[in-house]
Amino acid sequence: MSSACLPLHVLLLCGLLGAEQQLLPGSCNFELGTCGYTSDPEYGSWNMNEEGHVITVDSAILKDQQQAVLVSPVLDHQDWSCVRLVYQLTGRGSLQLHLRPDGDNFDYRMWTANKASDSWLIASVDLPNTTNPYQVLLEGRPERGSGNSVAIFEIHIVPGYCIECNFEEHHLCGYSNSWNPNVNWYVGGSVAREPESNLLVNHSNYNQRGHYMYVDSVYAKHFQEVAKLTSPMTTVPLAGCLSFNYHRDQERGNIFSVFTRDQLGHYEEMWRPEVFTTAGWTMVSVDIKAPHPLEVVFEVAFNSARGGYVAIDDISFSPEFCHTDTEPTFDPSIANCDFENGLCLYYQERTESKVWSRVSVKPNAYRIGDHTTGAGCFLLANTRFTSRPGYVGRLHGPFLPGNHKYCLRFYYLLHGFRKVDNALVLYIYDENNVAQEKVWSLADTSRTAWTEVEITYMKPMLSKVVFVSICKNFWDCGLAAIDDITVSLGDCQITAGSLPGQCNFESGVCGYIQDKKDDKADWLRVRGHTPTSYTGPRGDHTTGVGYFMYMEASLMRPGHKARLMTSDLRGSFSPQCLIFYYHMYGSGTGILSLLLRHGSRKQDTLLWRRRGEQSVSWMRAMVDYHCDVPHQIIFEAIRGPTLRSDIAIDDIYFKRGPCEDPGDTTSYSGFSEYFNEIEN
């Protein structure tokens, strides 16, 4: 995802000099045509420049359309490959690259850019290995107004990972130099002067036509002047062996290091050489274990103009670790628990009374159930379950290895606390059961809704999380509950993200459409309480303080419908499992239905339905369906006889089915005397 700037004439000139890497089908320079790329007829059109070499979409030509989508021919690359894109954004707009697997409902966004530039930019996007054919989609969205356009100069698809490079390609695989007035990385070999050394031959070709990258100290003027060569940002996590060749001469001092840098800008050194000078090219292999995308940075610092030089060549990557003693990437999901089938690997200290209890609440109108399903189990710390008025309840998690950055997420619920200072606290303990750090505690009194907590932490030693609930005075204490603990590698800010087919409504409505033809009202996107008392949720399901969609009963008449539809789904060869959360609380609650709209059928097909008040909790629905032709899914809410009839939905998720847990498959539930009246 990293970009490097190159003027167009330099691209053309270097293209004649470099020995191009093998190009795979789907590559195109738009010189003689579009190479099988076509504009999706449902959107605007991409247009070839009259002189060739460039294909563009301009806001002036789009007219009423918002975007133009360029679709590649069907590709069948079963190994890892890399799309290199030379593009330019003029004015305001964006360019996105999507992957469209054959026989899948959704397109998968792999990369996006929205910054304007006066020069051509280079993007590198990893395409994972797959046995299914796919297409690449390029979506240009220039904003309305004069002077806004998106242009593509070249599409190259090459074998391997984007981080790999032998520096023979004219755009240097998207590697970029961080400009310094005095020291920079340059192309060595046949197109640049040599440093004062024996670097007359390229490492891989052993002739004067090959290329490599080098930096020398000839123009260094200040202490520790730094040159950085940065790889493109990977679009996938990397775990495996990074290899490269280097040549180094340190006459009076240079510092050569290789770093990784994540999307938040955090650096981590992964290698530096043990020798100052190499007689020839030396190969290095370093293991990378990254749960998130990253850049590789080759950095050289010079102390003087006589600091020597460093050259690198032939960067490659293998998904197999290069050292046999390297531990495989650790899976932290052993610390996950939704408490549906027990305590997982969590436990309480035997010396204490069992303060934490695993409980379940049957869904009804008055008691909030668990966060996972609305009718499952969660953990509760409560004075009613102990033999004394005060208590300290510690819940210990499993040990996790040190020197890893972890993202811990969990949900909590409080009820009845007069003071929340110690109602729920989270510590990190070491292997000797010594508390190392208090990483979280409640800041204020929280509402009676499941609320999400995200914590990123890293410890050098073996460690575990410990949830602590303290009650010093019986009269100040209430109920403290936790549920749905998950642990993943990496920073929470990086690991957070969604896939196509997922929508939590936090950033918008994800392309969902209001049905203006067959209903009488709209679904509304809100956060917090709904305005009518004794109906609607107290917060969203995703975080407790976020957004959800709901039908406001006071704006409708009894029997009126509100329909929310997905955008057009292409159809999938495999069964689909649709998971979503719904909230139906209120004495006048009506009907929530899930419908399948098939383009060739006159009537919508009923997939799932709930009638009447269900619970004060968010409830989970899991619905199996199969449709291999274009279709839409419709969420239909019908208002009941009173104002207390708000219906809400949140956290919609499509995944390849069938559903793992068929526990919510009945088509009807609830009871009411007025259903015939509503349906009529």
Side-chain angles (χ1 to χ4, degrees):
M1 209 177 332
S2 179
S3 299
C5 298
L6 289 175
L8 179 58
H9 70 275
V10 174
L11 285 171
L12 293 169
L13 176 62
C14 293
L16 298 174
L17 295 171
E20 291 291 349
Q21 190 173 352
Q22 174 193 354
L23 295 182
L24 297 174
S27 300
C28 193
N29 62 9
F30 302 103
E31 186 172 3
L32 301 176
T34 62
C35 314
Y37 281 82
T38 57
S39 294
D40 188 326
E42 293 189 11
Y43 306 101
S45 296
W46 289 80
N47 298 288
M48 284 282 293
N49 185 289
E50 292 181 359
E51 300 176 358
H53 257 310
V54 179
I55 188 168
T56 61
V57 54
D58 193 292
S59 57
I61 301 175
L62 277 181
K63 297 181 180 179
D64 296 331
Q65 300 281 358
Q66 291 185 329
Q67 75 259 39
V69 178
L70 191 65
V71 183
S72 77
V74 176
L75 307 176
D76 193 11
H77 305 153
Q78 299 193 7
D79 295 321
W80 281 89
S81 58
C82 174
V83 177
R84 302 229 192 266
L85 202 63
V86 181
Y87 71 98
Q88 184 176 14
L89 300 179
T90 303
R92 297 183 305 276
S94 66
L95 176 63
Q96 296 183 359
L97 187 147
H98 297 260
L99 196 67
R100 174 174 289 178
D102 191 26
D104 197 305
N105 267 334
F106 300 99
D107 298 330
Y108 295 79
R109 188 173 69 182
M110 307 292 292
W111 170 86
T112 186
N114 52 24
K115 293 184 178 179
S117 171
D118 293 332
S119 59
W120 293 93
L121 302 177
I122 301 167
S124 298
V125 184
D126 288 295
L127 300 181
N129 54 343
T130 174
T131 56
N132 292 329
Y134 60 86
Q135 293 172 289
V136 171
L137 278 62
L138 292 161
E139 180 182 298
R141 282 179 172 261
E143 291 188 15
R144 294 189 177 182
S146 61
N148 299 327
S149 65
V150 180
I152 297 174
F153 171 71
E154 187 176 77
I155 302 170
H156 277 189
I157 303 180
V158 297
Y161 295 80
C162 288
I163 206 169
E164 299 183 86
C165 196
N166 61 9
F167 302 108
E168 303 304 319
E169 287 188 332
H170 60 255
H171 43 52
L172 305 181
C173 316
Y175 275 73
S176 59
N177 170 68
S178 300
W179 181 254
N180 181 310
N182 300 318
V183 293
N184 289 280
W185 287 90
Y186 295 99
V187 178
S190 61
V191 295
R193 70 177 183 85
E194 305 297 336
E196 297 175 3
S197 69
N198 59 348
L199 289 175
L200 295 178
V201 295
N202 155 270
H203 166 262
S204 55
N205 294 332
Y206 291 99
N207 60 52
Q208 296 187 21
R209 295 292 299 169
H211 305 100
Y212 48 82
M213 298 300 292
Y214 78 93
V215 56
D216 67 27
S217 58
V218 174
Y219 299 108
K221 295 180 180 179
H222 307 290
F223 181 73
Q224 293 241 328
E225 293 212 64
V226 177
K228 293 182 180 181
L229 183 69
T230 305
S231 77
M233 178 73 73
T234 66
T235 51
V236 292
L238 287 181
C241 179
L242 177 72
S243 299
F244 61 93
N245 289 273
Y246 81 98
H247 198 172
R248 184 187 191 202
D249 176 58
Q250 185 191 47
E251 184 180 350
R252 286 195 176 179
N254 67 58
I255 301 171
F256 179 31
S257 302
V258 182
F259 297 86
T260 59
R261 182 170 62 193
D262 64 24
Q263 292 165 309
L264 300 177
H266 298 153
Y267 283 84
E268 182 177 343
E269 186 178 73
M270 65 175 181
W271 178 85
R272 67 169 56 195
E274 297 179 355
V275 295
F276 293 145
T277 302
T278 59
W281 287 96
T282 301
M283 182 176 177
V284 175
S285 296
V286 184
D287 284 326
I288 292 181
K289 295 188 293 183
H292 46 69
L294 51 76
E295 296 169 328
V296 174
V297 182
F298 295 88
E299 180 178 292
V300 180
F302 295 105
N303 292 332
S304 72
R306 300 184 64 184
Y309 64 82
V310 175
I312 61 171
D313 198 7
D314 290 345
I315 302 168
S316 62
F317 182 81
S318 167
E320 301 293 330
F321 288 115
C322 35
H323 300 108
T324 55
D325 59 345
T326 300
E327 295 182 8
T329 304
F330 173 71
D331 183 2
S333 64
I334 62 167
N336 293 359
C337 197
D338 60 10
F339 304 106
E340 295 306 302
N341 298 306
L343 297 184
C344 309
L345 297 181
Y346 290 80
Y347 62 94
Q348 300 188 70
E349 296 176 7
R350 296 178 182 176
T351 56
E352 298 180 342
S353 60
K354 302 297 184 181
V355 171
W356 290 95
S357 301
R358 179 172 165 264
V359 300
S360 64
V361 175
K362 291 184 178 180
N364 56 50
Y366 308 104
R367 303 181 66 189
I368 294 181
D370 77 319
H371 180 264
T372 315
T373 67
C377 296
F378 57 95
L379 283 194
L380 186 66
N382 188 330
T383 54
R384 299 172 190 170
F385 300 140
T386 61
S387 57
R388 59 183 187 274
Y391 64 80
V392 177
R394 296 184 180 90
L395 181 74
H396 296 251
F399 281 109
L400 301 178
N403 295 317
H404 291 279
K405 186 176 288 186
Y406 295 108
C407 173
L408 168 68
R409 292 185 175 95
F410 66 92
Y411 290 83
Y412 74 90
L413 175 69
L414 295 184
H415 180 71
F417 276 92
R418 293 174 60 187
K419 296 180 180 180
V420 299
D421 297 352
N422 297 303
L424 189 59
V425 186
L426 184 65
Y427 289 90
I428 304 296
Y429 277 44
D430 65 16
E431 55 186 326
N432 297 315
N433 273 340
V434 176
Q436 294 293 313
E437 182 184 3
K438 181 170 76 171
V439 293
W440 177 82
S441 61
L442 284 165
D444 52 21
T445 303
S446 299
R447 300 164 296 104
T448 52
W450 286 106
T451 304
E452 183 186 48
V453 176
E454 289 186 343
I455 298 165
T456 299
Y457 74 93
M458 182 176 179
K459 295 296 176 186
M461 76 293 285
L462 201 66
S463 64
K464 61 183 176 181
V465 297
V466 179
F467 294 87
V468 182
S469 182
I470 303 173
C471 176
K472 296 180 180 178
N473 184 320
F474 178 87
W475 304 107
D476 289 335
C477 298
L479 309 176
I482 58 175
D483 200 6
D484 290 347
I485 303 170
T486 62
V487 181
S488 58
L489 287 170
D491 195 294
C492 289
Q493 294 182 61
I494 297 177
T495 57
S498 62
L499 295 171
Q502 293 184 12
C503 190
N504 57 18
F505 301 108
E506 295 306 305
S507 302
V509 296
C510 312
Y512 280 78
I513 306 164
Q514 304 282 354
D515 188 348
K516 301 294 185 181
K517 180 180 178 182
D518 297 326
D519 63 13
K520 299 292 185 179
D522 287 341
W523 288 78
L524 307 176
R525 177 176 170 265
V526 297
R527 66 194 304 178
H529 289 272
T530 57
T532 309
S533 59
Y534 301 105
T535 187
R538 299 168 180 172
D540 77 318
H541 179 265
T542 315
T543 65
V545 294
Y547 289 88
F548 58 92
M549 298 293 288
Y550 90 109
M551 176 205 74
E552 174 53 56
S554 63
L555 303 177
M556 304 165 64
R557 294 182 179 179
H560 279 184
K561 300 175 182 179
R563 287 184 157 204
L564 188 69
M565 307 184 297
T566 64
S567 54
D568 290 335
L569 306 178
R570 290 193 306 277
S572 173
F573 296 150
S574 61
Q576 296 288 303
C577 178
L578 174 53
I579 304 169
F580 64 96
Y581 287 82
Y582 63 96
H583 197 281
M584 300 175 70
Y585 165 59
S587 58
T589 302
I591 301 173
L592 176 63
S593 302
L594 190 71
L595 306 171
L596 172 67
R597 174 167 291 179
H598 192 306
S600 61
R601 297 176 184 169
K602 293 183 179 180
Q603 278 194 319
D604 300 329
T605 303
L606 177 66
L607 298 177
W608 175 96
R609 176 169 286 172
R610 287 293 178 268
R611 304 180 180 219
E613 184 178 76
Q614 299 293 308
S615 171
V616 73
S617 302
W618 284 99
M619 307 294 293
R620 184 177 70 184
M622 304 179 73
V623 183
D624 283 301
Y625 84 95
H626 187 200
C627 188
D628 56 6
V629 297
H631 63 281
Q632 290 176 289
I633 297 295
I634 302 172
F635 292 86
E636 179 188 82
I638 302 179
R639 203 204 110 156
T642 74
L643 295 180
R644 295 191 175 96
S645 183
D646 293 348
I647 295 175
I649 57 174
D650 199 7
D651 292 347
I652 303 170
Y653 176 32
F654 288 82
K655 71 173 185 177
R656 292 185 181 178
C659 296
E660 297 175 3
D661 178 11
D664 191 43
T665 56
T666 54
S667 297
Y668 302 91
S669 73
F671 60 91
S672 179
E673 304 82 16
Y674 55 81
F675 283 142
N676 290 335
E677 174 188 339
I678 292 176
E679 292 186 301
N680 289 336

